[in-house]
Amino acid sequence: MVSRSYSNLLELASGESPSFERMNRRIPRIMTVAGIMSDIDDDPSESVCSDPSSSSGQMYRIIIVANQLPIRAQRKSDGSKSWIFSWDENSLLKQLKDGLGDDEIEVIYVGCLKEEVHLSEQEEVSQILLETFKCVPTFLPPDLFSRYYHGFCKQQLWPLFHYMLPLSPDLGGRFNRSLWQAYVSVNKIFADRIMEVINPEDDFVWVHDYHLMVLPTFLRKRCNKVKLGFFLHSPFPSSEIYKTLPIREELLRALLNSDLIGFHTFDYARHFLSCCSRMLGLSYESKRGYMGIEYCGRTVSIKILPVGIDMGQLQSVLSLPETEEKVKELIKQFCDQDRIMLLGVDDMDIFKGISLKLLAMEQLLEQHPEWQGKIVLVQIANPARGKGKDVKEVQCETHAFVKRINERFGKPGYDPIVLIDAPLKFYEKVAYYVVAECCLVTAVRDGMNLIPYEYIISRQGNDQLNKLLGQEPSTPKKSMLVISEFIGCSPSLSGAIRVNPWNIDAVADAMDYALEMADPEKQLRHEKHYRYVSTHDVGYWARSFFQDLERTCRNHSRRRCWGIGFGLSFRVVALDPNFKKLSMERIVSAYKRTTTRAILLDYDGTLMPQASIDKSPSSNSIGIINSLCRDKNNMVFLVSARSRKKVAEWFSQCVRLGLAAEHGYFLRLMRDAEWETCVPVADTTWKQIAEPVMQLYTETTDGSTVEDKETALVWCYEDADPDFGSCQAKELLDHLESVLANEPVTVKSGLNIVEVKPQGVSKGLVAKRLLSIMQENEISPDFVLCIGDDRSDDDMFEVITTSMTAPTITQNAEVFACTVGQKPSKAKYYLDDTAEIVRLMQGLASVSEQTLTE
């Protein structure tokens, strides 16, 4: 399955001259773009239209997008200045490809090279990488890359996502608009490169990590139905931290342009969902084990699954002769000297907690002198990925602590701490894993961190390594882990000793506990960990994510999609093909043609915005309703959940307006008519049970209130904390359903409310009553308009829709069931907001006024 655009690039790779010339005309040379994009809106002419006739082949294709390609590049040593490229076998992206399997899925990579490639060489390098590795390099000018990666990514996003607030210039980078523009520009360049190789109808796109968080918006803008997944490999901070980011909503909306968003842990996903709730007003639902957010008619799925390691690659490294030689060397250096190795492997940055680990080691040696001369902490410090003052400070502090502890507790031939801050090859690290009795990972905040997984598999070893360690093949393996509770792999490793890295005493005690633990218990913990890590490898993670992405995108072709919004506020609306925006021209035309009309209007959220503090109708609204009511061809009903006293007071000036209160329990045909009930008079003794329960939740939920209606009780938490209010609402719903199980009432939740009302009462009763009254008077409406905004109005929509086949209305009647906003509904039409509803009613009222004056 090869797309047209991809075929062009393959021709480019093969060097065929005619196709190469066509490519120069059709594809912009994104790799040579310099500077900042001034306008993040794409030119509509660049939009890619999917060919509806294209059909999927037998093999899936996935485009994996990340900041860096899984490629190693180096100059040839013959002086020709040409390049040598090879796979980076340690790259997660390469391991991901192997895990997906080449037989069923073709993988294309889009990303940057670690090395800078001169402009004159970029075309040749692109050909080689595409032809040999199926990689599409994104070349960025050095200045732009520096501002994007070392600037915005590493100095602003990365510290904030690791809970460091920029309280001063020294503590994380303060927000810099020019760096943000560089970040957006690079994301757009990535989108341009992807569009050169994608077949929008068939291909899947999987974007990785915080470097490319706004990329989904640019891709969704180019192709509304792109099948797009995003996985965040870093922590996602709590809403209290995240909301300090000036571009917080832009990033959230960009991520929500994905179809599937993945996180390592539930905590990270929970923080993201909380941010969506607090900042965008979006809630999530869990259905049959899958979590999702409804966003503009699309369901954005949430995936929680920690990444694993490449078992095959690690086991092959364990079998290398170089690994065996290194293990022999370490056995001689430590085991033969009767010394126990503790191991730490961390990047040299402020969040890895290296200094705290060294202080805990110092505390251990001080409190337990029996370990002096017996244990050695080998700290491997990988080079930092970022730059800046904080990295230098960590390096200086680490060296100072190592020097002090070694001077205090060391002796000839023995240093309690061995610091290795030079780059090590992977097989060398694996050798240290094999020999270490305990691995310490004490980061103060980290993403997944696969060091513990690598340690566990390395300790399982193989027959040759077992011989070197003096173990029989049948000997149960053992390993010990002391890990921070603030790293992503912590929830997966239940047999590890979890610690708060800030508590030096607790870490020291954990180290002592790990050293003193009996071998049988170490073996049981190792066996448990090994079973999990070996079955949840990188292949399992990749396949699981891809399967969920495929499931989420399954209905793309069946839905109507179009984009709305500008810049990073762009989003795609996806609706059922039968769900359409109500055309003002069509309904006005139908209104003019018809002579017997039934109009049903909800109030809160329909004629009055939910966010309004003053909920009473404006003089303009009263005027519109009176204009409609004065038209003798109209029968107008306002249907509300509010009490009859309140709606009667608000609409006292509307003489011919029919009113329905408390979801239709009370009804009157016009102002001077008597109130009647749509169901038999209800027994309200149940309130004596429900009201104390609601008051209890009101006392414990700041910002909540109880409204006592004649036939119903409503607990409202509109002004409460969104997360706490929602949590309390679920508890209250369960509580009320339990205590009212034998009462003739229903308990329902709505938008920021929990309501108890008599059984059988719904707004659908009002629609039935209105149509039956007209039928009794031998009037058959040829125009029916029903407008509402929430689930309670669906009952009205259902009644008038099913009445189209009943004798209560004219056979060819114009029926309009309309909801407010683009969301799942039983209505056939929608309008965007209350302002559009008011404009519609104003238009109909104007027609009626013209009719009256003629």
Side-chain angles (χ1 to χ4, degrees), residues 28-29 51 84 90 92 312 378 425 498 514 525 535 620 637 648 689 697 700-701 714 721 759 808 818:
R29 295 175 184 268
D51 182 359
I84 298 175
N90 296 328
L92 175 66
V378 176
K425 293 181 179 178
R498 298 193 184 103
R525 291 178 184 240
T535 55
N620 182 51
F637 255 87
I689 303 171
Y697 282 79
T700 58
T701 311
V714 181
D721 177 272
Q759 286 179 350
T808 50
C818 178

Side-chain angles (χ1 to χ4, degrees), residues 47-257:
S47 180
V48 172
C49 298
S50 305
D51 182 359
S53 64
S54 65
S55 59
S56 299
Q58 294 183 346
M59 179 178 284
Y60 288 110
R61 201 178 74 170
I62 185 168
I63 300 172
I64 296 177
V65 191
N67 178 53
Q68 286 188 347
L69 292 171
I71 295 291
R72 296 185 187 275
Q74 63 184 57
R75 294 280 188 184
K76 288 185 178 178
S77 57
D78 58 4
S80 63
K81 292 190 176 181
S82 55
W83 292 90
I84 298 175
F85 298 104
S86 61
W87 287 113
D88 181 357
E89 298 294 341
N90 296 328
S91 169
L92 175 66
L93 301 183
K94 173 61 170 64
Q95 297 168 359
L96 181 159
K97 174 181 180 291
D98 296 338
L100 287 171
D102 293 333
D103 295 338
E104 298 178 1
I105 300 175
E106 178 187 4
V107 175
I108 308 293
Y109 291 103
V110 177
C112 298
L113 288 168
K114 296 178 184 178
E115 291 73 17
E116 184 180 345
V117 178
H118 191 271
L119 181 63
S120 62
E121 302 175 288
Q122 290 176 3
E123 296 286 3
E124 179 186 357
V125 167
S126 295
Q127 291 181 41
I128 295 171
L129 290 178
L130 182 63
E131 185 180 48
T132 310
F133 301 96
K134 293 185 181 178
C135 289
V136 179
T138 302
F139 299 109
L140 302 173
D143 176 63
L144 180 60
F145 179 81
S146 179
R147 282 180 289 157
Y148 146 73
Y149 182 77
H150 297 295
F152 193 77
C153 290
K154 284 301 181 182
Q155 293 301 315
Q156 297 188 1
L157 277 185
W158 189 73
L160 188 80
F161 277 32
H162 288 75
Y163 288 72
M164 176 181 282
L165 289 174
L167 299 176
S168 72
D170 293 334
L171 295 173
R174 290 199 171 154
F175 183 75
N176 184 311
R177 181 66 57 177
S178 67
L179 298 181
W180 162 242
Q181 290 172 344
Y183 180 84
V184 171
S185 296
V186 170
N187 276 249
K188 187 174 187 299
I189 292 170
F190 268 82
D192 292 335
R193 293 298 277 159
I194 294 167
M195 296 312 297
E196 294 173 14
V197 296
I198 191 173
N199 180 346
E201 280 292 316
D202 299 324
D203 294 348
F204 293 85
V205 181
W206 187 355
V207 181
H208 289 265
D209 224 3
Y210 63 94
H211 314 93
L212 300 170
M213 289 178 75
V214 299
L215 178 57
T217 290
F218 291 119
L219 289 178
R220 188 69 63 188
K221 192 167 194 176
R222 299 289 192 86
C223 180
N224 292 344
K225 294 185 180 181
V226 64
K227 302 169 184 177
L228 177 58
F230 181 94
F231 198 94
L232 184 68
H233 293 273
S234 78
F236 195 94
S238 70
S239 61
E240 291 300 305
I241 297 293
Y242 180 80
K243 70 182 181 182
T244 63
L245 195 60
I247 38 84
R248 60 192 188 184
E249 291 188 12
E250 288 89 332
L251 289 183
L252 289 179
R253 291 192 185 278
L255 288 177
L256 290 171
N257 276 321

